[in-house]
Amino acid sequence: WESRRAGHWDGWGRGYTALRAGLLRRVRAELGRDEGLDVLTMLWDMEKFYDNLNLRRLLALASGLDYPRTVLVISTSYYLCPRMLRGHGCLSAGVCPANSITAGCTHANSMAKAYLYAIVERIHLQHPRFGMGQFVDDLAQQAEGDDPGMCARFGEAASELYGLLQG
């Protein structure tokens, strides 16, 4: 599924690291500056991303991307199981979550990709000049140019992305 759904913005996959994604972004910025262009970069590191994923929205988005149904159903069932705390010989009452992907789930990164795919694709289609990169749940927007209105349009694209991320 991941190889079929790899967007050109996707910096995550076999052999990729967050360091590599950051270095490529930095090289692009340096090349732009060497050409005398202004460079704008916005980094999106979403706090508690996995803890706040809306599972209904995840199901809808992943299903629309032909995510393997069996994996989606089993993983989501696991995410909805009661969660308990254990310590000092005690066990808390279970709490049934409505949101979040369980830490350590082997499918968590793929689920993050499915959750963000349509959002990132929409920004790319509507604002192609403001290239966006993705590394799992970290997003980066970057633009180079000498257009006086670039900063305002970059801000509009960032504002739209923020709205889409809020759901």
Side-chain angles (χ1 to χ4, degrees):
W1 179 85
E2 289 171 13
S3 63
R4 289 190 328 255
R5 282 295 178 181
H8 65 279
W9 58 82
D10 196 356
W12 176 67
R14 187 169 303 217
Y16 287 76
T17 64
L19 175 61
R20 182 179 186 271
L23 288 173
L24 289 173
R25 191 171 42 252
R26 185 67 190 158
V27 166
R28 186 174 151 202
E30 289 298 325
L31 291 172
R33 291 301 301 153
D34 283 350
E35 293 177 14
L37 302 174
D38 294 320
V39 177
L40 300 170
T41 302
M42 184 170 291
L43 305 174
W44 298 83
D45 184 12
M46 293 165 277
E47 187 174 60
K48 305 251 182 218
F49 177 77
Y50 289 92
D51 292 339
N52 294 305
L53 280 182
N54 180 303
L55 294 178
R56 286 180 190 246
R57 187 173 185 202
L58 172 62
L59 283 169
L61 292 168
S63 295
L65 295 171
D66 297 323
Y67 197 90
R69 188 164 304 244
T70 303
V71 173
L72 185 60
V73 169
I74 291 171
S75 296
T76 306
S77 298
Y78 174 67
Y79 301 149
L80 293 170
C81 287
R83 298 181 192 175
M84 296 167 255
L85 297 174
R86 180 178 21 191
H88 304 290
C90 299
L91 186 64
S92 72
V95 175
C96 294
N99 292 326
S100 91
I101 289 178
T102 308
C105 172
T106 57
H107 301 287
N109 288 345
S110 296
M111 296 288 182
K113 183 177 185 175
Y115 194 86
L116 293 170
Y117 189 94
I119 293 170
V120 175
E121 182 179 52
R122 179 173 169 179
I123 294 296
H124 265 287
L125 292 173
Q126 293 184 352
H127 306 280
R129 181 155 181 226
F130 307 125
M132 174 168 274
Q134 177 185 4
F135 188 82
V136 188
D137 64 326
D138 294 326
L139 304 175
Q141 288 174 283
Q142 189 163 317
E144 304 86 20
D146 57 5
D147 174 7
M150 181 176 73
C151 190
R153 288 191 305 282
F154 188 82
E156 290 167 7
S159 178
E160 183 177 342
L161 175 60
Y162 180 76
L164 291 170
L165 291 170
Q166 296 303 306

